[in-house]
Amino acid sequence: MNFKVLINGELFESNEKMEIINPSTLKVAGTVPLISSQNFIDEVVSNAKLAYHSWKKMPFETRAAYLVKFRDLLLKNKQNLADLLVLEIAKNKKESLAEIERSAEYITQTLSIYKELNDNPLIIDKSVHGIKDKVGKFVREPL
């Protein structure tokens, strides 16, 4: 299998390749593009930082919709993804499927908890710590 790398929304290929070794057989399972140019790496990191700031400004509902779509794609493609885990890290198929399903569930739970924390921020006032004329309000922001 020859994989491409998704960078800045585009699939990237390179003449330089890095081999993926199957740890069970020690045979080449596939290749990925090798990114060795420091300028290219700096550009990718810079663009990732810009994307983060754009992501951070999106309303929760928009970010959640992207994550739900990603979760649904994980579940839709779980057999193929599990096969890749078996091939690339020698995890057995049952555990690979369980890992993908746990990841999907983690996304669901994280979105639910984040929404709850946003809807009901933690407020610390006199009634909590007895500190007069001080109120703390804790809200969550995307990392």
Side-chain angles (χ1 to χ4, degrees):
M1 287 187 220
N2 295 308
F3 296 97
K4 297 177 184 176
V5 178
L6 183 65
I7 299 174
N8 302 331
E10 296 182 25
L11 289 173
F12 173 78
E13 287 191 84
S14 170
N15 290 333
E16 290 184 87
K17 305 280 185 191
M18 183 172 72
E19 294 180 339
I20 302 166
I21 304 298
N22 180 325
S24 295
T25 65
L26 300 179
K27 293 182 180 178
V28 176
T31 62
V32 293
L34 180 63
I35 302 168
S36 57
S37 161
Q38 187 61 49
N39 289 338
F40 188 72
I41 293 168
D42 291 344
E43 181 183 342
V44 169
V45 170
S46 176
N47 285 333
K49 287 179 182 178
L50 291 173
Y52 163 74
H53 291 295
S54 174
W55 174 261
K56 186 176 175 177
K57 292 176 184 175
M58 278 186 207
F60 167 73
E61 293 76 15
T62 304
R63 294 190 318 265
Y66 281 115
L67 290 170
V68 167
K69 184 175 181 178
F70 174 69
R71 179 206 59 205
D72 293 346
L73 287 168
L74 277 176
L75 293 172
K76 179 181 176 183
N77 295 287
K78 69 182 178 181
Q79 294 294 330
N80 290 338
L81 293 169
D83 289 341
L84 286 174
L85 290 174
V86 170
L87 185 65
E88 292 184 11
I89 62 172
K91 185 174 269 195
N92 71 47
K93 181 77 176 251
K94 182 179 177 182
E95 289 178 3
S96 296
L97 285 168
E99 181 174 335
I100 293 161
E101 290 167 355
R102 277 193 312 271
S103 296
E105 182 59 29
Y106 181 73
I107 291 168
T108 301
Q109 290 174 351
T110 300
L111 289 172
S112 175
I113 291 167
Y114 185 85
K115 182 172 181 355
E116 176 65 26
L117 291 171
N118 263 359
D119 291 347
N120 301 298
L122 176 62
I123 297 179
I124 298 175
D125 61 9
K126 183 179 178 184
S127 67
V128 176
H129 289 293
I131 301 171
K132 188 176 178 181
D133 299 324
K134 300 286 182 186
V135 176
K137 178 179 178 182
F138 297 87
V139 294
R140 305 299 191 259
E141 290 188 12
L143 298 175

